[in-house]
Amino acid sequence: PEALEVEPIDTEPPVITITQPEARDYLRPEQLSVQVSAQDTESGVLILQTALGTTTVPNIGEIDLFFLPLGFHTLISSSIDYVGNATTSQRTIRVIATASSTISDIEKAYQLGWMVLSVRDKLVSKLETYIEKIEQSKRAEKFILKDILNELERRRGKELNEQAYQLLREDINWLINN
């Protein structure tokens, strides 16, 4: 049989568009919107796969940042067209904590059953005092944060489970260091 030629020859990989998330800071209590698409005008898109770190995530959807550690995270999208041309695109975000977002984290940890009511109330009260002190003096009152760390340590494994302890300790250390 005669040799078949496919015209035109497709040598270009798909074009990946990451509409969301934006490359910026996000608070831990936020939902991270993901909106990724790929186009290939020659042969078409065979696969589009997106991951946040090593975890595969939907190309369109939301990710609860509550369960991620603070710091930088990279969203990586990979696409292959029908003739095997491949490409990747990425976007880096940073998950951070504020005093107000830490209060939200305490509330969620309580709702998840990770701590008892009295611990929730005590931690929220201390953080509210911290916020008031910052607003009054325009400087961080680090001793309040260190007191919260001590409170977390005292309640750890008793009225506060390990997940809550680790998450809130990370939040408080972030506030101390940032």
Side-chain angles (χ1 to χ4, degrees):
E2 293 181 33
L4 295 176
E5 281 188 39
V6 177
E7 291 285 335
I9 297 173
D10 182 3
T11 59
E12 294 296 317
V15 174
I16 297 173
T17 303
I18 301 175
T19 307
Q20 291 288 331
E22 297 173 19
R24 65 175 178 85
D25 290 347
Y26 292 86
L27 296 173
R28 180 179 259 159
E30 289 185 66
Q31 297 291 312
L32 181 71
S33 292
V34 176
Q35 191 171 27
V36 179
S37 61
Q39 290 186 326
D40 188 282
T41 56
E42 296 295 324
S43 63
V45 175
L46 174 65
I47 295 171
L48 173 62
Q49 206 168 36
T50 302
L52 185 61
T54 58
T55 305
T56 300
V57 298
N59 296 319
I60 297 175
E62 290 190 338
I63 299 167
D64 189 349
L65 296 178
F66 179 78
F67 298 99
L68 290 180
L70 299 176
F72 289 99
H73 299 274
T74 304
L75 183 91
I76 302 171
S77 295
S78 303
S79 185
I80 301 172
D81 66 14
Y82 279 97
V83 294
N85 298 313
T87 189
T88 61
S89 186
Q90 65 183 33
R91 176 84 39 96
T92 300
I93 65 158
R94 185 170 73 153
V95 181
I96 66 168
T98 64
S100 296
S101 74
T102 301
I103 290 173
S104 294
D105 290 345
I106 291 167
E107 294 293 346
K108 186 161 186 172
Y110 172 72
Q111 290 169 0
L112 290 169
W114 292 1
M115 70 177 69
V116 298
L117 180 62
S118 61
V119 173
R120 181 200 74 177
D121 292 347
K122 187 167 218 148
L123 295 174
V124 168
S125 175
K126 288 182 182 205
L127 275 166
E128 286 171 345
T129 300
Y130 172 76
I131 292 169
E132 288 172 21
K133 295 284 186 191
I134 290 175
E135 290 171 354
Q136 291 170 1
S137 65
K138 303 295 186 212
R139 66 181 184 91
E141 300 292 343
K142 304 286 187 198
F143 72 90
I144 297 173
L145 297 175
K146 290 178 182 175
D147 184 47
I148 293 171
L149 286 176
N150 291 334
E151 186 73 30
L152 292 172
E153 190 64 42
R154 280 192 301 274
R155 307 296 183 135
R156 182 182 188 182
K158 300 171 193 126
E159 302 150 308
L160 179 76
N161 75 9
E162 189 64 23
Q163 291 158 301
Y165 170 79
Q166 293 296 335
L167 185 135
L168 296 174
R169 187 184 70 163
E170 184 182 35
D171 279 6
I172 299 302
N173 281 323
W174 181 272
L175 295 175
I176 290 170
N177 296 317
N178 296 288

